[in-house]
């Protein structure tokens, strides 16, 4: 027990631990399952080569989280507009078109960052426990159904 009290992490171990904590937080916020998080943690901590890439991976995952957050926000903005404003808005069609374009732009950004993440680190982007290939088409279809009374598309 005395040994454990005197044990101190070296600087690199502390830094790696902080990076792993940040990565876990990002994965949690993206909606990774426990199994998906464990799989990535094992990958990034099982070998020296992967551990050395932790800082680079963190930067990439932070950017990924930002892009996914913008996508989620734009999708939510469109849903809120349709639910609460479109039925009484004089500019429903133009607002709807603008919000649709924002969502589609964000969809492309998410697809691109997912491809880069896979190519650079071999990591698959997960959003709410689903892959990008599962979530984007499903949400896109829901979006088109939601906006059809206002955009006519």
């Amino acid at each position: 027990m005395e040994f454990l009290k005197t044990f101190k992490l070296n600087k690199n171990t502390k830094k790696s631990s902080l990076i792993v904590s940040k990565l876990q937080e990002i994965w949690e916020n993206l909606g990774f399952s426990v199994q998906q998080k464990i799989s990535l943690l094992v990958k990034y901590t099982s070998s020296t080569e992967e551990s050395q890439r932790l800082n680079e991976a963190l930067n990439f995952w932070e950017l990924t989280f930002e892009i996914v957050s913008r996508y989620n926000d734009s999708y939510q903005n469109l849903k809120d507009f349709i639910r609460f404003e479109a039925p009484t808005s004089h500019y429903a069609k133009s607002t709807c078109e603008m919000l649709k374009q924002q969502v589609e732009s964000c969809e492309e950004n998410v697809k691109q960052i997912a491809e880069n993440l896979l190519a650079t680190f071999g990591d698959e982007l997960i959003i709410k426990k689903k892959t990008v290939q599962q979530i984007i088409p499903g949400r896109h279809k829901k979006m088109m159904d939601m906006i059809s009374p206002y955009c006519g598309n």
Side-chain angles (χ1 to χ4, degrees):
M1 190 63 133
E2 201 57 41
F3 171 75
L4 291 176
K5 289 180 183 175
T6 60
F7 180 74
K8 293 190 176 166
L9 296 173
N10 69 37
K11 189 177 175 183
N12 287 339
T13 304
K14 285 181 184 178
K15 184 179 179 185
S16 294
S17 179
L18 182 61
I19 291 170
V20 167
S21 293
K22 287 181 180 180
L23 284 169
Q24 285 180 296
E25 183 181 344
I26 289 168
W27 297 331
E28 178 71 28
N29 290 332
L30 285 170
F32 278 59
S33 69
V34 172
Q35 181 68 27
Q36 291 162 332
K37 288 185 280 189
I38 289 171
S39 175
L40 283 171
L41 282 174
V42 167
K43 174 189 164 189
Y44 281 112
T45 58
S46 64
S47 73
T48 307
E49 297 82 29
E50 287 296 337
S51 294
Q52 290 172 348
R53 297 185 74 195
L54 271 176
N55 200 39
E56 182 185 355
L58 175 61
N59 292 334
F60 214 98
W61 277 105
E62 286 174 332
L63 176 63
T64 300
F65 180 69
E66 250 180 66
I67 289 170
V68 171
S69 293
R70 277 190 235 129
Y71 168 59
N72 287 334
D73 290 347
S74 68
Y75 185 73
Q76 188 62 51
N77 288 341
L78 177 69
K79 283 173 51 177
D80 290 347
F81 175 75
I82 296 298
R83 247 189 241 140
F84 305 117
E85 297 177 47
T88 59
S89 174
H90 297 292
Y91 306 102
K93 183 172 180 155
S94 60
T95 304
C96 188
E97 284 293 336
M98 180 194 69
L99 292 170
K100 175 183 166 238
Q101 288 173 0
Q102 286 177 356
V103 171
E104 289 176 337
S105 174
C106 288
E107 285 173 343
E108 290 307 310
N109 291 341
V110 169
K111 288 176 188 175
Q112 186 176 19
I113 197 77
E115 288 172 13
N116 290 340
L117 192 61
L118 190 59
T120 305
F121 296 98
D123 296 346
E124 186 164 38
L125 176 56
I126 303 295
I127 303 171
K128 298 184 179 185
K129 297 184 176 106
K130 295 180 180 178
T131 66
V132 169
Q133 295 80 11
Q134 293 169 321
I135 202 159
I136 288 181
R139 277 188 173 183
H140 192 85
K141 182 181 179 340
K142 284 180 189 175
M143 176 183 72
M144 297 308 287
D145 292 344
M146 276 190 295
I147 67 174
S148 64
Y150 306 101
C151 289
N153 292 341

